[in-house]
């Protein structure tokens, strides 16, 4: 990992579809060298995937929330995981420390659909407690680590 790799990663973090020839101009390398470096970053696992981030509000999904969930016992984890993986309104599920076991990030159409999702979660065997926090606005949301941090 060197400064050129970091510059390439910054370009891709900004726009994963940026053409290798545009990146090559920005980092002063040949297109083939840029492509090879990107391939190496992908093969190393540092680049997990190239994706598109959709604007939830423009997609008609007006309610964003965090949903904390605690389970009665670890024997219920597999069933909970299966529900989470099947539900499209759950964007992220994190196993956490503290008073709850999981933190879900959910995006729904409206408060009625959030209520429906919450009732579904509460009906999963083993779910003991939930807490919902509505997101009013987002000041910052990054989808990966800052490439500059890789040189430290």
């Amino acid at each position: 990992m060197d400064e050129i790799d970091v510059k390439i990663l910054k370009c891709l973090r900004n726009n994963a579809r940026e053409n290798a020839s545009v990146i090559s101009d920005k980092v002063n390398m040949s297109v083939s060298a840029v492509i090879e470096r990107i391939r190496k970053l992908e093969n190393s696992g540092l680049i997990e995937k190239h994706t598109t981030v959709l604007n939830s509000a423009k997609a008609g999904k007006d309610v964003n929330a965090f949903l904390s969930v605690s389970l009665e016992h670890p024997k219920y984890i597999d069933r909970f995981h299966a529900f989470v993986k099947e539900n499209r309104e759950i964007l992220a599920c994190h196993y956490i420390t503290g008073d709850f076991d999981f933190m879900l990030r959910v995006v729904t159409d409206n408060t009625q659909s959030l209520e429906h999702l919450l009732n579904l979660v509460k009906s999963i065997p083993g779910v003991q407690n939930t807490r919902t926090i509505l997101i009013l606005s987002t000041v910052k949301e990054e989808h990966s680590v800052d490439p500059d941090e890789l040189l430290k």
Side-chain angles (χ1 to χ4, degrees), residues 8 32 47 49 51-52 60 63 71 74 90 93 98 102-103 105 109 113 130 137 140 142 152:
I8 292 169
S32 60
I47 296 176
K49 63 182 173 179
T51 190
T52 299
V63 175
L71 300 180
I90 299 172
C93 175
F102 295 93
M103 178 68 70
R105 173 139 183 274
D109 297 336
S113 57
T130 64
S137 65
K140 180 180 181 178
E142 297 293 341
K152 291 184 178 182

Side-chain angles (χ1 to χ4, degrees), residues 54-113:
L54 303 179
N55 181 306
S56 58
K58 290 187 179 185
K61 304 290 185 182
D62 292 325
V63 175
N64 287 271
F66 291 112
L67 179 56
S68 304
V69 179
S70 61
L71 300 180
E72 289 176 32
H73 190 274
K75 69 182 180 183
Y76 297 108
I77 286 178
D78 290 340
R79 192 174 294 174
F80 180 76
H81 283 180
F83 173 84
V84 165
K85 289 175 183 176
E86 291 171 8
N87 192 291
R88 292 180 180 175
E89 294 178 313
I90 299 172
L91 300 187
C93 175
H94 305 281
Y95 189 43
I96 60 172
T97 62
D99 295 336
F100 290 88
D101 299 310
F102 295 93
M103 178 68 70
L104 308 179
R105 173 139 183 274
V106 302
V107 177
T108 66
D109 297 336
N110 50 46
T111 56
Q112 290 80 20
S113 57

Side-chain angles (χ1 to χ4, degrees), residues 1-151:
M1 176 69 53
D2 62 15
E3 288 186 27
I4 293 173
D5 287 333
V6 169
K7 287 179 182 178
I8 292 169
L9 289 170
K10 282 179 165 183
C11 292
L12 293 173
R13 186 173 179 235
N14 245 3
N15 178 4
R17 293 185 66 195
E18 190 156 57
N19 191 301
S21 64
V22 173
I23 295 172
S24 72
D25 289 340
K26 292 180 180 179
V27 300
N28 297 318
M29 290 188 84
S30 70
V31 174
S32 60
V34 167
I35 291 170
E36 181 59 30
R37 282 181 178 249
I38 292 171
R39 194 170 291 126
K40 284 181 182 178
L41 291 166
E42 291 168 341
N43 291 338
S44 75
L46 186 62
I47 296 176
E48 287 186 7
K49 63 182 173 179
H50 301 271
T51 190
T52 299
V53 178
L54 303 179
N55 181 306
S56 58
K58 290 187 179 185
K61 304 290 185 182
D62 292 325
V63 175
N64 287 271
F66 291 112
L67 179 56
S68 304
V69 179
S70 61
L71 300 180
E72 289 176 32
H73 190 274
K75 69 182 180 183
Y76 297 108
I77 286 178
D78 290 340
R79 192 174 294 174
F80 180 76
H81 283 180
F83 173 84
V84 165
K85 289 175 183 176
E86 291 171 8
N87 192 291
R88 292 180 180 175
E89 294 178 313
I90 299 172
L91 300 187
C93 175
H94 305 281
Y95 189 43
I96 60 172
T97 62
D99 295 336
F100 290 88
D101 299 310
F102 295 93
M103 178 68 70
L104 308 179
R105 173 139 183 274
V106 302
V107 177
T108 66
D109 297 336
N110 50 46
T111 56
Q112 290 80 20
S113 57
L114 177 61
E115 179 181 2
H116 178 72
L117 176 61
L118 183 56
N119 288 333
L120 288 175
V121 170
K122 288 179 176 182
S123 69
I124 300 169
V127 170
Q128 183 176 29
N129 195 12
T130 64
R131 178 175 296 150
T132 305
I133 300 169
L134 287 176
I135 300 171
L136 300 177
S137 65
T138 301
V139 175
K140 180 180 181 178
E141 183 171 58
E142 297 293 341
H143 300 282
S144 69
V145 298
D146 185 340
D148 285 326
E149 295 293 315
L150 301 173
L151 290 177

